[in-house]
Amino acid sequence: MIPDRPVIPFIEGDGIGKEITPYVQQIINAAVEKAYGKSRRMEWREVLAGEKAFNTVGSWLPEETMEAFRTYRIGIKGPLTTPIGEGIRSLNVALRQELDLYVCLRPVRWFKGVATPLLHPEKVHVTIFRENTEDIYAGIEWAAGTPELKKVLKFLQEEMGVARIRFPETTSIGVKPVSLEGTERLVRAAIEYALEKGLPSVTLVHKGNIMKFTEGGFKKWGYAVAEREFPDRTFTEHTFRQIEVERGLEKAVEEFNLAVSTGKVFIKDVIADAFLQNTLLKPEEYSVVATLNLNGDYISDQLAAMVGGIGIAPGANINYDTGHAIFEATHGTAPDIVGKGLANPCSMLLSGVMMLEYMGWQEAGMLITTALEKLFAEGYATSDLSRFMENGKQLTTGEFSQKVTETL
């Protein structure tokens, strides 16, 4: 149950974070007031991470910050610098791992007026469920030439009989954990999302043709959870193939058409490289995607580029079991444009819309989305977008944010 005045921990962020975050908060505050009057409002509470935290308290990710997110459950953050030569590989990954935010949720859509490399960007309307805690992002690896690496090599070669490491003396090694439980909870969340939103399909994207037991396991376990937990609400490609083998293609097509006509979600899979091609050739065939961590990183950025760039790509990191969620700008800190009024607040702002929707405050979120649709259609945008628009009208970060507030 979300209170009428929830405490929202926020991380301002590094680089352009300090420019976009105050504007995003102002727009969200205005939308909440417009939608609900004085009955609801955000109670923003700043917590520290990144360079600001290191310079202030000597820690890149203070325990007080983690405790705030644990306590208040829902928060938002600007872009963070990844420390060079420090113990934390990535602050974003550390936040996801510590709070077990196992879904990286990335909805991708096109806004009319935004220039893109596609002839028909309106066909792109995909929501990505990227597994957030496993795969190579678990950070289990050893550098070439180290004593630890030599131990790993010795074990692999002498105990496991591994003979296909071509240059063992100069090889670094990483481990890619992919679990049954991690797969099931991600795919389950993707299916429940598709059912809730009335979307036609969930696609399991993987490289199981090469990585048989990790990404191949992801595919196998994904189908299994659909067939076991949602037998009356889904129809799987796996089932389609079984019917085809046992009763023929015509019967399989008949069963598929019946399932689709009764509103069942079609669960299918595709190899990752084929998926990247297909999204360019026939993006309309995909609505919800469930995939592993590294695949999801690539896929999210490609799809964002297809609709105009990462500057309008929102994201969230969610644990649907505990309710914890951190919404975030998906771009970097952009140190080259800091202080120039060029920063685009839309990635963080649209992540704020996702936060409002997650809280059940859809009315406020819709006000922001509608305002952006209107402004983009009229050519108003920051320079990263306006310079490519047919009738682009370039605004500074502050001018654009003010325009959004006025348009609510």
Side-chain angles (χ1 to χ4, degrees), residues 19 337-344 382-383 394-399:
E19 297 176 51
I337 63 169
V338 170
K340 298 179 180 179
L342 299 176
N344 184 350
T382 48
S383 64
Q394 181 176 332
L395 300 175
T396 66
T397 309
E399 290 168 343

Side-chain angles (χ1 to χ4, degrees), residues 36 51 57 62 164 208 216 258 402:
Y36 311 113
E51 286 182 334
V57 298
R164 293 195 298 272
L258 177 62
Q402 183 59 36

Side-chain angles (χ1 to χ4, degrees), residues 142 144 149-158 160-174:
W142 299 273
L149 188 279
K150 290 177 181 178
K151 289 181 180 179
V152 174
L153 275 173
K154 181 179 173 66
F155 171 75
L156 290 175
Q157 293 170 332
E158 297 181 8
M160 301 300 294
V162 174
R164 293 195 298 272
I165 300 175
R166 190 173 297 274
F167 304 109
E169 295 304 316
T170 57
T171 290
S172 296
I173 290 178

Side-chain angles (χ1 to χ4, degrees), residues 65-279:
T65 296
M66 296 307 307
E67 188 57 37
F69 285 124
R70 290 190 198 99
T71 300
Y72 298 110
R73 296 179 180 266
I74 297 173
I76 192 168
K77 58 177 282 295
L80 291 174
T81 297
T82 294
I84 305 299
E86 298 290 338
I88 297 177
R89 291 171 180 266
S90 163
L91 292 169
N92 294 323
V93 172
L95 284 165
R96 296 164 186 168
Q97 293 277 356
E98 182 67 24
L99 294 171
D100 196 23
L101 304 175
Y102 61 85
V103 170
C104 180
L105 185 66
R106 293 282 295 271
V108 181
R109 58 154 293 186
W110 178 64
F111 287 88
K112 184 178 179 181
V114 175
T116 86
L118 295 191
L119 183 60
H120 292 290
E122 73 280 359
K123 293 182 179 180
V124 181
H125 210 298
V126 184
T127 301
I128 303 152
F129 278 71
R130 168 190 172 190
E131 203 290 318
N132 225 4
T133 64
E134 299 189 319
D135 203 354
I136 63 170
Y137 286 74
I140 307 169
E141 59 177 352
W142 299 273
T146 61
E148 293 81 6
L149 188 279
K150 290 177 181 178
K151 289 181 180 179
V152 174
L153 275 173
K154 181 179 173 66
F155 171 75
L156 290 175
Q157 293 170 332
E158 297 181 8
E159 300 291 330
M160 301 300 294
V162 174
R164 293 195 298 272
I165 300 175
R166 190 173 297 274
F167 304 109
E169 295 304 316
T170 57
T171 290
S172 296
I173 290 178
V175 175
K176 177 188 177 77
V178 176
S179 70
L180 167 67
E181 294 88 348
T183 297
E184 286 188 341
R185 64 182 184 175
L186 177 88
V187 175
R188 182 183 299 116
I191 293 172
E192 289 174 345
Y193 181 92
L195 289 167
E196 179 187 343
K197 303 292 185 181
L199 298 172
S201 68
V202 173
T203 304
L204 309 174
V205 179
H206 61 91
K207 195 65 177 162
N209 57 327
I210 303 298
M211 290 169 273
K212 307 290 186 182
F213 305 118
T214 51
E215 305 223 359
F218 177 84
K219 169 190 169 181
K220 179 179 72 174
W221 298 326
Y223 275 132
V225 76
E227 292 167 357
R228 184 180 68 249
E229 298 185 15
F230 304 91
D232 300 324
R233 306 185 71 187
T234 64
F235 183 82
T236 70
E237 185 174 1
H238 179 246
T239 299
F240 181 96
R241 299 304 174 198
Q242 286 183 318
I243 297 172
E244 182 181 13
V245 169
E246 296 169 2
R247 302 161 65 187
L249 178 60
E250 185 176 341
K251 184 61 178 177
V253 171
E254 180 184 328
E255 292 289 335
F256 169 77
N257 289 335
L258 177 62
V260 171
S261 68
T262 56
K264 290 186 177 181
V265 174
F266 185 44
I267 313 298
K268 53 186 175 176
D269 77 278
V270 64
I271 302 298
D273 45 321
F275 176 82
L276 293 172
Q277 174 183 244
N278 292 347
T279 51

Side-chain angles (χ1 to χ4, degrees), residues 275-277 279-280 297-307:
F275 176 82
L276 293 172
Q277 174 183 244
T279 51
L280 290 169
D297 204 350
Y298 299 148
I299 288 166
S300 297
D301 282 8
Q302 176 185 294
L303 286 167
M306 289 165 58
V307 297

